[in-house]
Amino acid sequence: MDIVVKGRKTEVPERFRKHVAEKLNLEKIQKLDGKVISLDVEVSKEPNPRQADRCDRVEITLRSRGPVIRAEASASDAYAALDLAAEKLDAQLRKQHDKRYTRRGSRRLSAAEVPDHVPGVATLNGDGQPVPSGEANSVPTKKIGSLEVQGDGPLVVREKTHVAAPMTLDQALYEMELVGHDFYLFVDSETKQPSVVYRRHAYDYGVIYLDTDPMVAQANAPEAGGTLGG
């Protein structure tokens, strides 16, 4: 794999290209992400004299079988901007590497194990209400699939409501990797539909789009028109 260095509305000297090759250690990068496909570096210059302290901008784009990683920085010269962008890229790569390592080395807790691992967690009764610690052992427990439910159920684990800004599929994959989850719920910026990206295996992903069933929507719609009373 080679590093592609290009300039946008500016010339890139050969000396800078050599500095890029020295600064971005491919062997080190591939140790953190063995699925790297390409690494691009784009240099641009801001002609506004009022922005002389950040007139040179460097953007590094790393593409792999996972989400695209971008790191950018601006400084008074291209070499300083490259150093800052390279530090950001290294931090993102290490963060994703650590999350992958942690996820492989850990296991999921069942609902029955949560009280043993999370101090102060409440036990719920059949109505979803907290049970006082002295009464918890008196509530009957039954097995439903892989869950142990106390009382008659249903068991409410947790509810959350998020305000989501529309984003692209690539952005959703990137956010899923950052939080270290196996799925990520988002609003697609192109279709405006609620959607879910999820991990299938390794770096293979899937995406589910939700759409309203037109037959159900029509059945639930109020009848048009009406009768006027005299």
Side-chain angles (χ1 to χ4, degrees), residues 8 17 24 44 49-50 54 60 64 68 77 80 110-111 127 136 150 164 166 172 189 200 205 217 224:
R8 186 173 64 183
R17 295 179 185 274
L24 301 179
S44 59
R50 294 183 180 179
R54 49 190 179 92
I60 306 173
S64 68
V68 175
D77 64 80
S110 68
D127 297 324
Q150 292 186 328
S189 58
R200 297 180 67 240
Y205 301 94

Side-chain angles (χ1 to χ4, degrees), residues 136-148:
N137 295 331
S138 63
V139 179
T141 302
K142 61 182 177 181
K143 193 85 171 180
I144 300 179
S146 60
L147 296 177
E148 288 186 3

Side-chain angles (χ1 to χ4, degrees), residues 109-116 146-149 155 157:
L109 298 178
S110 68
E113 294 176 301
V114 171
D116 298 330
S146 60
L147 296 177
E148 288 186 3
V149 180
L155 175 66
V157 179

